[in-house]
């Protein structure tokens, strides 16, 4: 409900950290707050912002055989869009991949 200011993901207008915490204590989740009639004009946007802000590791993704991720390009694009936390995560993935390529048998 609050959004993620560091990655420029908006939230509900006028809802900061304290307001979001209060709403979550009362409703337990964004969906429950929306079902109770909170934020009807921006409900779809709030769902979209939540999906952007939370990366679902269980999402079914197709396999791309014979392709190597270009983490540095993805990180640069994220930085260009001012998604700095995402850019940092992508840079960490690149760093971890480089370490593995240099020494695949080393413990992680």
């Amino acid at each position: 409900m609050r959004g993620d200011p560091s990655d420029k993901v908006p939230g509900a207008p006028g809802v900061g950290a304290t307001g979001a915490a209060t709403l979550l204590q009362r409703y337990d989740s964004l969906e429950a707050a929306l079902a109770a009639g909170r934020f009807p004009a921006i409900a779809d946007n709030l769902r979209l912002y939540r999906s952007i802000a939370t990366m679902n590791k269980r999402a079914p993704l197709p396999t791309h055989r014979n392709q190597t991720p270009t983490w540095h390009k993805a990180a640069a694009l994220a930085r260009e869009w001012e998604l700095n936390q995402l850019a940092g995560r992508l840079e960490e993935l690149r760093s971890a991949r480089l370490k593995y390529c240099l020494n695949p048998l080393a413990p992680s």
Side-chain angles (χ1 to χ4, degrees):
M1 288 180 250
R2 162 183 181 260
D4 186 347
S6 65
D7 280 340
K8 307 236 181 206
V9 177
V15 176
T18 303
T22 301
L23 288 165
L24 287 173
Q25 285 176 347
R26 181 171 181 187
Y27 297 107
D28 292 325
S29 70
L30 172 62
E31 285 304 322
L34 297 176
R38 299 299 304 235
F39 314 111
I42 59 168
D44 289 339
N45 286 345
L46 291 174
R47 288 183 184 104
L48 173 64
Y49 304 150
R50 178 187 56 200
S51 70
I52 291 169
T54 58
M55 290 192 236
N56 184 349
K57 294 180 181 180
R58 291 186 229 152
L61 299 174
T63 58
H64 294 283
R65 292 190 166 98
N66 302 321
Q67 291 186 358
T68 303
T70 53
W71 300 118
H72 65 286
K73 289 181 182 178
L77 183 60
R79 287 236 184 268
E80 181 182 323
W81 291 345
E82 298 182 24
L83 301 171
N84 297 320
Q85 286 186 344
L86 174 59
R89 290 182 205 130
L90 293 168
E91 288 163 354
E92 288 173 11
L93 286 170
R94 178 179 185 226
S95 197
R97 177 72 180 151
L98 287 173
K99 286 178 189 174
Y100 176 79
C101 288
L102 294 174
N103 190 358
L105 300 177
S108 44

